[in-house]
């Protein structure tokens, strides 16, 4: 098992996402609380800032 390490664009903190994280999954920085949508491509993972309301995301 291997976790993905990502860096928060706002505060620069590094945090891990699980290996089985899904494309479009919502996550948030444990340090500053900025919310992100996870974008998964072939072998890398990007964070896109999530501006909307979590209530509307329809999880
Ligand atoms: Zn942060």
């Amino acid at each position: 098992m291997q976790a993905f390490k990502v860096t928060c664009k706002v505060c620069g903190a590094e945090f891990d996402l699980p290996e089985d994280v899904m494309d479009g999954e919502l996550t948030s920085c444990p340090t500053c609380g900025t919310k992100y949508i996870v974008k998964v491509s072939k072998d890398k993972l990007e964070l896109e800032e999530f501006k909307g309301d979590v209530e509307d995301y329809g999880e």
Side-chain angles (χ1 to χ4, degrees):
M1 290 288 283
Q2 179 198 335
F4 290 105
K5 191 166 284 273
V6 293
T7 303
C8 176
K9 295 174 186 175
V10 175
C11 72
E14 285 191 336
F15 56 101
D16 293 330
L17 294 174
E19 183 187 30
D20 61 350
V21 68
M22 303 271 285
D23 185 50
E25 201 165 309
L26 199 63
T27 189
S28 62
C29 173
T31 304
C32 71
T34 301
K35 292 183 180 63
Y36 291 103
I37 296 173
V38 180
K39 300 284 184 186
V40 179
S41 47
K42 279 177 210 154
D43 57 353
K44 66 179 187 135
L45 199 148
E46 290 180 82
L47 296 179
E48 181 176 297
E49 257 188 88
F50 180 69
K51 308 277 190 193
D53 189 336
V54 178
E55 302 290 319
D56 294 336
Y57 189 64
E59 192 171 340

